[in-house]
Amino acid sequence: MDYQGLTATDLANIRALNRCFLKVAAGLESHDIGDVAGRRLTRMQLRRLAATPFLLFSFREHDSDYWIRLLDPDPQIDFGLDADPPADDVRQLQIAGLGFLWQLSCRNPYAARVVSGAPLSWCERLAAMTLVDLLSRVAIRGDLITRRFMSRDSVWRRLLVGGVSSMPQLRTTSQLCALQVLLTSSQHERRSRVPAAACSLSAPARQLAGNPARGIGDTKV
């Protein structure tokens, strides 16, 4: 069976969402990536990092208990009270990010899994909802977005060093190694179709990671 890879538009949206997340993360201690590398990134390095061909942030895709409660048609009254509401910039990122994953899950769930590391059941549950209903459920959740690889600082260190390098080959290798970790570190059983979807991503991912100048510009530092 053939699997449709990500389109150029999908990759452009991933890059834009990552740029938005990096701006949000700069103001949130729990999302801070600078401390992982022990240094701050330049503007150009942040652009290169944003070109990583998957989402640098997570919607807690593997926290099944959280999403069961969130999407319960008759939710517990106190569920909305155990988290502060999101700041405006976080809410905008949630709307844009979930809107992107919702439409990708409807159109190409295996590609949605590649860019988010989500289990198929999560993608299918998103696709079964209307976008309006989905966004209304998450509107008050300030605890939804987390930095990806929260317990894997070694992955972040690689992204923040090799993944932002001015050398395209090193940058591509570092970013695709992180993608491999994303696809293989799930705590849930994965079907064999996910690696096939990842294979279909390889060419555009290498093109994007190896040449982030497309659409955002690049200079050596």
Side-chain angles (χ1 to χ4, degrees), residues 148-161:
R148 199 169 294 285
F149 306 125
M150 284 290 289
S151 61
R152 304 289 293 272
D153 279 358
S154 60
V155 178
W156 272 106
R157 290 191 186 97
R158 184 162 193 166
L159 279 174
L160 297 177
V161 179

Side-chain angles (χ1 to χ4, degrees), residues 116-204:
S116 68
L120 181 59
S121 59
W122 187 85
C123 296
E124 290 176 336
R125 193 160 193 182
L126 252 63
M129 303 182 69
T130 65
L131 182 58
V132 171
D133 190 19
L134 173 63
L135 296 182
S136 68
R137 296 299 187 99
V138 305
I140 62 172
R141 303 304 307 182
D143 59 349
L144 178 58
I145 290 179
T146 65
R147 172 167 57 88
R148 199 169 294 285
F149 306 125
M150 284 290 289
S151 61
R152 304 289 293 272
D153 279 358
S154 60
V155 178
W156 272 106
R157 290 191 186 97
R158 184 162 193 166
L159 279 174
L160 297 177
V161 179
V164 299
S165 172
S166 61
M167 296 184 289
Q169 185 174 0
L170 176 58
R171 188 165 65 246
T172 299
T173 299
S174 298
Q175 293 180 359
L176 291 181
C177 282
L179 175 61
Q180 184 179 24
V181 172
L182 175 65
L183 297 178
T184 58
S185 62
S186 170
Q187 296 179 359
H188 295 254
E189 182 179 355
R190 292 181 177 274
R191 298 181 183 178
S192 60
R193 283 180 265 188
V194 175
C199 289
S200 66
L201 173 66
S202 297

Side-chain angles (χ1 to χ4, degrees), residues 16-217:
L17 287 167
N18 281 341
R19 286 201 300 264
C20 183
F21 168 70
L22 292 172
K23 290 179 182 178
V24 169
L28 297 176
E29 182 178 350
S30 61
H31 292 64
D32 190 18
I33 62 172
D35 290 343
V36 177
R39 62 189 177 91
R40 293 293 173 179
L41 300 181
T42 67
R43 181 176 298 179
M44 182 54 63
Q45 288 171 330
L46 286 170
R47 287 181 177 180
R48 292 170 182 156
L49 181 60
T52 302
F54 59 83
L55 295 178
L56 295 172
F57 57 97
S58 168
F59 286 111
R60 300 174 61 166
E61 299 92 351
H62 290 287
D63 190 343
S64 58
D65 289 342
Y66 178 91
W67 277 95
I68 286 173
R69 290 194 298 163
L70 183 61
L71 301 183
D72 189 334
D74 185 22
Q76 296 296 319
I77 294 177
D78 63 349
F79 182 59
L81 304 178
D82 58 5
D84 294 329
D88 288 343
D89 54 354
V90 176
R91 181 181 293 108
Q92 291 173 4
L93 178 59
Q94 286 183 179
I95 292 172
L98 278 174
F100 170 69
L101 287 177
W102 174 83
Q103 63 84 23
L104 192 57
S105 295
C106 292
R107 172 172 58 86
N108 189 352
Y110 296 103
R113 297 180 72 188
V114 169
V115 303
S116 68
L120 181 59
S121 59
W122 187 85
C123 296
E124 290 176 336
R125 193 160 193 182
L126 252 63
M129 303 182 69
T130 65
L131 182 58
V132 171
D133 190 19
L134 173 63
L135 296 182
S136 68
R137 296 299 187 99
V138 305
I140 62 172
R141 303 304 307 182
D143 59 349
L144 178 58
I145 290 179
T146 65
R147 172 167 57 88
R148 199 169 294 285
F149 306 125
M150 284 290 289
S151 61
R152 304 289 293 272
D153 279 358
S154 60
V155 178
W156 272 106
R157 290 191 186 97
R158 184 162 193 166
L159 279 174
L160 297 177
V161 179
V164 299
S165 172
S166 61
M167 296 184 289
Q169 185 174 0
L170 176 58
R171 188 165 65 246
T172 299
T173 299
S174 298
Q175 293 180 359
L176 291 181
C177 282
L179 175 61
Q180 184 179 24
V181 172
L182 175 65
L183 297 178
T184 58
S185 62
S186 170
Q187 296 179 359
H188 295 254
E189 182 179 355
R190 292 181 177 274
R191 298 181 183 178
S192 60
R193 283 180 265 188
V194 175
C199 289
S200 66
L201 173 66
S202 297
R206 287 191 174 90
Q207 185 179 37
L208 178 66
N211 184 15
R214 300 186 62 179
I216 58 176

